[in-house]
């Protein structure tokens, strides 16, 4: 890099920069002259993250940063490239830019930066509806991530966010749910603005409800992201999740009219009824003590509002999904349940468990008193 050319370029950029940012160019040029690459990188990252720098990101990256890219932290180099890529005129130009960036950091010593750039390129492919290309990039990134003992949280967060976007586009709700929660686990929720938090909570809630493999919402119900729906037009969705969790058919019937507010929930209305019926069944079993879980079909029908002729199918569905374990006596029309899938409890359910523990404690005391009375002198306390 010709020092005079660089000096003139930085002077030009300083003159067109906002007045309050012009002094930074003197620092940038000073660090470059003295080959203080670490300090220079940090100043550039700080400058690129300033919203006032948007028009200068691309020229600075292409005419300045690329010249010493080998000398700086490759992960930060990619981070600068991603910020510069935002200023490309369209996604086609952006993809070309990111593809070149990805190839540049594809070295054994910078595989974390390679994954970071590769995943960003897959995000653009998603927007261009190149789902196969995006999937190939994401699979390649995942295979490399699996070999790392540790990696910067930002790399994992970006991977999970874009992987979730892919599965959302493909309507794979269970995979979206998993990856979206992993993404949230990698970030500070304070970095999301209220609109982003609400949108993420809404999408997660819908995915949890209409997925045919998610019947335990515990992780979402305990996640603070769900509070983003409180006091919004989507507050009913949060209430609906809690109703499903406790198998509350009465609450579902009250909230059911809101399903028309979401096209995809309205389309899955029949499935949602089946799902709340399964939840009501598991809740009915859970409320009973372990020694009293032989339930007649008539009892189950009464507690789940499912037609008697459909009870056997409902129980078989719960058994096949692993929500319950037990057996069915078809002749006597009795279901004998010996296990129910654990789930997150709300305060009412916790209180019911407290009462059951009190009853159990009382029964144990009565048994102890009876044994002591019958055993008399033989009984050793």
């Amino acid at each position: 890099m010709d020092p005079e050319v660089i000096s003139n370029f930085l002077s030009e950029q300083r003159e067109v920069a906002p007045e309050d940012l012009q002094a930074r160019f003197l620092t940038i040029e000073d660090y470059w002259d003295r080959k203080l690459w670490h300090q220079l990188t940090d100043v550039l990252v700080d400058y690129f993250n300033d919203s006032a720098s948007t028009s200068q990101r691309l020229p600075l990256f292409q005419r300045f940063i690329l010249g010493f890219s080998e000398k700086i932290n490759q992960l930060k180099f990619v981070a600068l490239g991603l910020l510069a890529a935002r200023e490309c005129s369209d996604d086609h130009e952006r993809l070309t830019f990111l593809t070149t960036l990805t190839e540049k950091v594809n070295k054994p010593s910078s595989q974390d930066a390679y994954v970071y750039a590769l995943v960003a390129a897959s995000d653009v492919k998603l927007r261009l509806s190149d789902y196969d290309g995006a999937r190939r990039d994401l699979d390649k990134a995942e295979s490399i991530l699996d070999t790392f003992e540790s990696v910067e949280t930002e790399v994992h967060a970006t991977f999970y966010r874009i992987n979730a976007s892919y599965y959302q586009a493909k309507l794979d709700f269970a995979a979206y749910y998993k990856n979206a929660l992993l993404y949230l686990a990698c970030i500070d929720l304070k970095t999301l603005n209220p609109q982003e938090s609400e949108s993420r909570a809404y999408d997660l809630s819908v995915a949890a409800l209409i997925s045919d493999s998610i019947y335990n919402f515990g992780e979402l119900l305990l996640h603070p992201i769900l509070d983003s729906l409180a006091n919004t037009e989507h507050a009913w969705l949060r209430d609906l999740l809690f109703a499903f969790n406790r198998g509350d058919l009465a609450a579902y019937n009250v909230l059911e009219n809101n399903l028309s507010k979401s096209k995809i929930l309205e389309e899955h209305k029949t499935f949602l009824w089946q799902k709340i019926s399964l939840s009501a069944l598991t809740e009915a079993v859970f409320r009973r003590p372990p020694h009293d879980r032989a339930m007649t079909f008539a009892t189950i029908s009464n507690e789940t509002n499912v037609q008697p002729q459909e009870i056997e199918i409902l129980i078989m569905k719960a058994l096949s999904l692993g929500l319950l374990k037990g057996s069915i006596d078809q002749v006597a029309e009795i279901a004998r349940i010996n296990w129910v899938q654990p789930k997150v409890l709300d305060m009412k359910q916790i209180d019911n468990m407290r009462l059951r523990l009190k009853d159990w404690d009382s029964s144990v005391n009565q048994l102890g008193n009876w044994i002591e009375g019958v055993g008399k002198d033989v009984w050793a306390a």
Side-chain angles (χ1 to χ4, degrees):
M1 295 176 70
D2 187 327
E4 185 176 351
V5 172
I6 293 299
S7 181
N8 290 336
F9 171 71
L10 292 177
S11 296
E12 293 171 3
Q13 292 299 308
R14 183 176 68 249
E15 290 175 4
V16 298
E19 188 174 346
D20 58 328
L21 298 180
Q22 290 181 358
R24 297 193 195 183
F25 278 93
L26 298 176
T27 304
I28 290 171
E29 187 170 2
D30 176 51
Y31 286 155
W32 182 78
D33 283 337
R34 295 161 60 191
K35 295 180 173 55
L36 298 176
W37 307 120
H38 174 71
Q39 292 88 336
L40 175 58
T41 304
D42 287 345
V43 171
L44 285 168
V45 169
D46 183 55
Y47 186 74
F48 271 46
N49 278 312
D50 193 311
S51 59
S53 70
T54 52
S55 63
Q56 295 177 288
R57 291 172 185 169
L58 264 179
L60 278 170
F61 188 86
Q62 293 173 327
R63 296 179 58 185
F64 180 55
I65 297 172
L66 281 175
F68 55 87
S69 61
E70 302 291 334
K71 297 179 173 64
I72 65 175
N73 180 289
Q74 294 297 278
L75 205 55
K76 291 183 178 180
F77 169 61
V78 171
L80 289 167
L82 298 187
L83 288 168
R86 295 179 184 179
E87 311 314 314
C88 292
S89 59
D90 57 40
D91 278 335
H92 292 285
E93 180 186 337
R94 189 171 293 108
L95 181 58
T96 300
F97 178 92
L98 290 175
T99 300
T100 302
L101 178 64
T102 302
E103 293 169 354
K104 191 170 182 62
V105 294
N106 186 12
K107 297 171 290 186
S109 60
S110 58
Q111 285 295 284
D112 55 345
Y114 173 65
V115 168
Y116 197 17
L118 186 65
V119 169
S122 72
D123 191 26
V124 179
K125 290 180 180 180
L126 279 180
R127 294 200 295 271
L128 293 171
S129 299
D130 179 9
Y131 298 115
D132 291 340
R135 187 67 261 162
R136 283 193 298 271
D137 287 350
L138 289 167
D139 287 342
K140 186 185 296 183
E142 185 172 24
S143 66
I144 297 172
L145 282 172
D146 288 342
T147 66
F148 293 154
E149 291 185 4
S150 63
V151 67
E152 289 290 333
T153 305
E154 176 62 23
V155 178
H156 262 136
T158 304
F159 170 76
Y160 289 131
R161 176 176 59 81
I162 297 171
N163 210 27
S165 296
Y166 170 83
Y167 286 120
Q168 187 176 32
K170 301 297 286 185
L171 302 181
D172 188 336
F173 302 109
Y176 166 77
Y177 181 83
K178 174 186 174 182
N179 281 273
L181 283 175
L182 286 170
Y183 163 64
L184 293 177
C186 293
I187 67 169
D188 182 351
L189 290 183
K190 294 177 182 177
T191 60
L192 300 177
N193 62 46
Q195 291 74 26
E196 289 173 327
S197 295
E198 183 181 342
S199 175
R200 184 68 65 177
Y202 178 87
D203 290 340
L204 274 165
S205 299
V206 170
L209 287 168
I210 62 181
S211 169
D212 59 4
S213 61
I214 300 174
Y215 289 84
N216 190 334
F217 311 143
E219 195 170 359
L220 178 57
L221 296 177
L222 293 173
H223 203 291
I225 193 71
L226 200 58
D227 294 334
S228 304
L229 296 179
N231 302 316
T232 71
E233 61 179 321
H234 303 306
W236 61 271
L237 194 55
R238 181 178 182 275
D239 297 335
L240 188 61
L241 279 173
F242 279 98
F244 265 78
N245 185 64
R246 61 179 183 268
D248 191 337
L249 292 165
Y252 176 80
N253 290 332
V254 170
L255 295 165
E256 186 180 13
N257 291 334
N258 290 292
L259 297 180
S260 60
K261 297 177 182 178
S262 168
K263 181 180 178 181
I264 195 165
L265 288 178
E266 181 70 17
E267 291 172 351
H268 287 78
K269 196 170 183 178
T270 301
F271 170 75
L272 290 173
W273 171 250
Q274 295 170 349
K275 195 166 186 175
I276 190 71
S277 298
L278 284 167
S279 184
L281 171 61
T282 57
E283 180 63 19
V285 174
F286 179 78
R287 285 198 301 265
R288 286 169 165 74
H291 62 271
D292 184 28
R293 287 181 174 173
M295 304 170 65
T296 66
F297 285 12
T299 300
I300 295 173
S301 176
N302 182 57
E303 297 199 19
T304 62
N305 289 342
V306 174
Q307 295 299 315
Q309 64 271 21
E310 297 176 358
I311 292 300
E312 187 176 345
I313 296 174
L314 179 70
I315 299 169
M316 291 175 66
K317 182 72 172 177
L319 292 172
S320 68
L321 290 169
L323 303 178
L324 302 174
K325 291 181 181 178
S327 59
I328 303 174
D329 186 333
Q330 294 173 308
V331 176
E333 295 191 339
I334 294 176
R336 294 182 174 87
I337 309 301
N338 52 46
W339 180 87
V340 59
Q341 185 185 72
K343 60 182 177 180
V344 172
L345 306 180
D346 60 22
M347 294 306 295
K348 183 178 179 180
Q349 291 168 312
I350 291 173
D351 187 58
N352 288 336
M353 179 171 281
R354 180 184 65 83
L355 294 174
R356 283 170 51 189
L357 286 171
K358 286 182 66 177
D359 290 342
W360 173 81
D361 182 59
S362 176
S363 298
V364 170
N365 283 332
Q366 289 175 7
L367 178 62
N369 292 334
W370 179 82
I371 292 174
E372 186 174 0
V374 172
K376 296 183 179 177
D377 295 339
V378 178
W379 174 254

